[in-house]
């Protein structure tokens, strides 16, 4: 079989899993700027699935597509170090404020520009929102079938892909014709580490906005090695309708944000001493909570 | 028109718990909005399925019954719900935040170009005035959920698009029979007319669904561990304590991600919501997503060596110290005082 064309959707996210004390402001709210920006974990699981197909079917190409600010080019480089071939960064102020519907609109337009392709693959959800909506919405906008919660791609042959899915209480194996949109569950294998060869090859990959403050020598280097260019697309590049983007294209509005404030209960503080533990267990037995 | 719709899932001929919970919530939302509650149920061999739904207060049940509609696949269920929603123009559409609901609802939101909020922890009816235009909106659905890693609670609204869609996890809403002898109307959908063969391009080859062995949702006593438990081995201490007290073991997301405990035992916004009479939190820091799933427990004990762990602030008892020392003592003094 000849190689496939795979588009991996990835997102750079603030690492909301471990909000340490450094990231807390004096008023108890989170200082988002202090959180490290990382490659969304399940998108790495998705990249690994794409790389496994590429291992199996030489000639397969992997294109990473992301949407975000200029610094999100970092995750495209990360993907290149692991074996992705090229990457596109959708970046434009007019994307700001997009909810999942507006985001999937923009991403689906970019994917259409990258047509033809066989597989669009993404993480199930991003840790900054946990909505799991963009994958299915992109599939709908492209008019393609979707396979969500993929754990393992079992086979790809004759235009049909067979995938094992992880459900709440079990697993299911489904077959779908390509092209198809797949979202990958965190139970899928972790992504491989950077490959030394690719890390050297793509270490100097830069987007246009990253190039603005680089030297003449570097510009020449990139001219000689066009694969070092991470392409940036704005709304004009994907022929987007302004009404369907950003805030105006987002049906969901945030009415209210409340910082999480801990309302204290009257708490009895105990130590690990025998007396304290025995007191507690007796009290719980006496008030019929246990026993 | 403008009614509240609940998409009902089916598990082995039974309406799923989460759907019954949503019907109960949908009934109270419909009462507040003074509109009807309608259910849609799609499956195979589901004659008289409406009998399971009417006690929860549905006025109308829409049934699509065809061999190929069970087990669930995305496209045919999307096609039916889309057409039904276009025809009936609901104000609100509720889905379980399950493998099925989270696959289906975004597809519906995309095709109808309407707003969807995932994993809501509360749903309310309220008004809204647009800041800029001063336009007034009456009786919107407030979709309330933790956001940004649980560091904030957001209230989301969809002022201009209908239906207003939301998904809710199992256990978040309370299942309540509205009236055991209530009966409403049944609308049989003409499936053959609504579907085409193209809707069945994805084929299910194999399925292994295990009935859940674990039932933390209904446990009276829960011994839960977080990342602070440190290892799968240390989790054995929690199993010992749970066995002695007659409870179940649960874990935070961090403990599940760390591989200490399986996902079906996860408590919190993206896991199960529990309301036991006793919740013992071992090495759990207590981020809001976790607390959203357990803060209605009657008594909370926090065992933590971090005296400033946020969970201590909602705990009735805080034990400062090492859980590998404290848990064996709890077992010992429980046994001593019950003999």
């Amino acid at each position: 079989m000849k190689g496939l064309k795979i588009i991996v959707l990835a997102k750079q996210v603030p690492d909301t899993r471990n909000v340490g004390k450094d990231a807390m402001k004096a008023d108890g709210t989170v200082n988002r700027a202090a959180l490290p920006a990382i490659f969304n974990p399940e998108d790495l699981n998705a990249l690994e699935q794409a790389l496994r197909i590429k291992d199996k079917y030489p000639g397969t190409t992997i294109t990473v597509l992301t949407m975000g600010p200029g610094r999100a080019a970092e995750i495209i480089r990360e993907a290149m170090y692991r074996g992705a071939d090229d990457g596109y960064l959708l970046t434009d102020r007019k994307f700001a404020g997009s909810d999942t519907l507006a985001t999937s609109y923009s991403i689906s337009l970019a994917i259409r520009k990258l047509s033809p392709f066989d597989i669009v693959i993404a993480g199930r959800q991003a840790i900054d929102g946990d909505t799991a909506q963009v994958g299915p919405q992109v599939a709908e906008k492209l008019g393609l079938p979707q396979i969500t919660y993929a754990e393992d791609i079992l086979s790809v042959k004759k235009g049909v892909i067979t995938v094992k899915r992880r459900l709440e209480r079990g697993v299911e194996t489904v077959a779908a014709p390509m092209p198809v949109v797949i979202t990958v569950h965190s139970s899928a294998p972790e992504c491989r580490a950077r490959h030394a060869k690719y890390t050297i090859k793509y270490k100097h990959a830069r987007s246009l906005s990253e190039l603005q403050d680089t030297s003449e020598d570097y510009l020449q280097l990139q001219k000689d090695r066009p694969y070092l260019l991470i392409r940036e697309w704005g709304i004009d590049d994907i022929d987007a309708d302004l009404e369907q983007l950003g805030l105006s294209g987002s049906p969901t509005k945030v009415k209210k944000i409340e910082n999480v404030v801990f309302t204290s209960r009257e708490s009895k503080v105990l130590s690990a001493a025998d007396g304290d533990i025995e007191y507690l267990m007796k009290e719980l037995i006496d008030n019929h909570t246990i026993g | 028109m403008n009614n509240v719709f609940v998409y009902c899932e089916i598990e082995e001929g039974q309406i799923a718990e989460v759907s019954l919970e949503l019907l109960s919530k949908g009934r109270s939302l419909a009462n507040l909005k003074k509109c009807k509650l309608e259910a849609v149920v799609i499956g195979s061999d589901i004659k008289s399925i409406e009998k399971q739904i009417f006690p929860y207060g549905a006025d109308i049940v829409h049934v699509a019954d065809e061999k190929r509609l069970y087990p669930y696949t995305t496209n045919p269920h999307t096609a039916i719900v889309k057409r039904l929603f276009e025809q009936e123009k609901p104000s609100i559409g509720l889905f379980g935040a399950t493998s099925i609901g989270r696959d289906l609802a975004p597809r519906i939101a995309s095709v109808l170009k309407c707003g969807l909020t995932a994993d809501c922890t509360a749903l309310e009816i309220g008004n809204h005035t647009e800041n800029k235009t001063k336009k007034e909106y009456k009786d919107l659905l407030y979709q309330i959920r933790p956001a940004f890693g649980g560091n904030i609670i957001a209230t989301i609204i969809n002022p201009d698009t209908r239906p207003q869609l939301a998904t809710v996890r199992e256990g978040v809403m309370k299942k309540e029979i509205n009236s055991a002898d209530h009966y409403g109307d049944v609308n049989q959908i003409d499936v053959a007319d609504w579907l085409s063969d193209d809707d069945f391009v994805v084929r299910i080859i194999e399925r292994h669904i295990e009935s859940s062995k674990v039932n933390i949702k209904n446990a009276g006593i829960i011994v839960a561990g977080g990342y602070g438990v440190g290892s799968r081995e240390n989790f054995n201490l929690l199993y010992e304590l749970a066995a002695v007290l007659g409870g179940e073991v649960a874990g935070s997301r961090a403990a599940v991600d760390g591989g200490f405990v399986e996902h079906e035992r996860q408590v919190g916004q993206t896991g199960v919501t529990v309301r036991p009479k006793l919740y013992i939190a071992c090495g759990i820091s207590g981020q809001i997503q976790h607390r959203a799933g357990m803060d209605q427990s009657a008594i909370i004990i926090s065992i933590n060596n971090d005296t400033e762990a946020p969970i201590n602030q909602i705990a009735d008892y805080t034990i400062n110290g090492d859980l590998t020392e404290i848990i064996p003592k709890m077992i010992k003094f429980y046994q001593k005082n019950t003999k």
Side-chain angles (χ1 to χ4, degrees), chain B residues 121 169-170 172 216 251-253 265-274 279 287-294:
Chain B
T121 50
R169 296 245 165 202
E170 181 174 342
V172 171
I216 60 168
S252 69
R253 181 171 178 168
R265 294 185 188 272
Q266 184 183 319
V267 165
Q269 189 202 359
T270 55
V272 182
T273 297
V274 296
Y279 191 91
Q287 292 202 353
I288 179 72
Q289 303 103 307
H290 184 74
R291 297 204 321 266
M294 49 66 74

Side-chain angles (χ1 to χ4, degrees), chain A residues 198-240:
Chain A
Y198 301 134
T199 306
I200 292 165
K201 180 175 175 189
Y202 288 108
K203 166 168 83 171
H204 295 297
R206 293 288 180 275
S207 68
L208 265 185
S209 33
E210 289 174 316
L211 282 177
Q212 283 171 1
D213 41 39
T214 46
S215 68
E216 289 293 318
D217 288 356
Y218 179 76
L219 293 176
Q220 189 56 46
L221 176 75
Q222 199 172 56
K223 228 174 239 166
D224 298 342
R225 301 178 191 171
Y227 59 82
L228 290 179
L229 180 67
I230 295 172
R231 271 152 296 190
E232 287 177 312
W233 279 352
I235 57 162
D236 295 334
D237 298 299
I238 56 169
D239 305 318

